[in-house]
Amino acid sequence: MRHLLGQILSDRYRQTKTSIQAWLADRPYVKYLATGIVVIGFVLFAGERDVFAYYRLLSREQELRDELEVLRPAYEADSLSMEEFLRNPNNIEHIAREQYLMKLPGEEIFLVPRTPSKK
């Protein structure tokens, strides 16, 4: 019985294989179509530059644009105040003395370390 079942399945397999081969022989474009579908599927859904990564990047871009819109007014205000600050020679001298420890000839600089007060 087992041998007969194996024989029937083997015959059925051969018939199916033959009919598929005959169908493909009548339609030679199918193998190119199938290959194209596999390649397009791989490009769209596999690899590091797939459709999902593209939408993640679009989302990230929008987040960064929103953040830029929030920060732009503060940046412009700081830029204006910095320009005004740097136009005045007294302000430039103030920055040079405090941040870069520059001095005029004949002056002495004393550095006092800042220590937290103990209570």
Side-chain angles (χ1 to χ4, degrees):
M1 181 76 171
R2 199 171 222 185
H3 179 66
L4 181 61
L5 183 61
Q7 183 69 24
I8 292 172
L9 288 176
S10 178
D11 289 342
R12 183 74 172 143
Y13 171 75
R14 272 191 238 114
Q15 287 175 348
T16 304
K17 182 179 173 185
T18 305
S19 67
I20 290 174
Q21 286 175 343
W23 187 80
L24 287 175
D26 292 340
R27 295 162 184 88
Y29 59 87
V30 172
K31 60 183 170 184
Y32 300 113
L33 182 65
T35 302
I37 290 171
V38 168
V39 168
I40 289 172
F42 181 77
V43 168
L44 290 178
F45 301 109
E48 65 182 51
R49 296 184 185 208
D50 59 355
V51 173
F52 307 113
Y54 176 74
Y55 284 113
R56 279 192 305 271
L57 288 174
L58 281 179
S59 172
R60 179 70 176 140
E61 178 187 19
Q62 188 58 45
E63 289 173 8
L64 291 174
R65 286 185 189 277
D66 293 343
E67 184 179 345
L68 180 65
E69 289 303 316
V70 168
L71 295 176
R72 185 177 302 275
Y75 171 76
E76 290 173 356
D78 289 345
S79 295
L80 288 175
S81 66
M82 185 176 71
E83 285 178 18
E84 288 179 20
F85 195 71
L86 292 177
R87 283 188 193 136
N88 188 348
N90 292 333
N91 292 334
I92 294 173
E93 180 181 344
H94 180 73
I95 292 172
R97 287 175 178 268
E98 286 197 0
Q99 291 183 1
Y100 301 107
L101 303 177
M102 295 181 167
K103 62 179 184 149
L104 292 174
E107 287 184 334
E108 291 184 25
I109 296 179
F110 296 98
L111 296 177
V112 180
R114 294 182 184 181
T115 58
S117 61
K118 295 181 181 178
K119 290 185 179 181

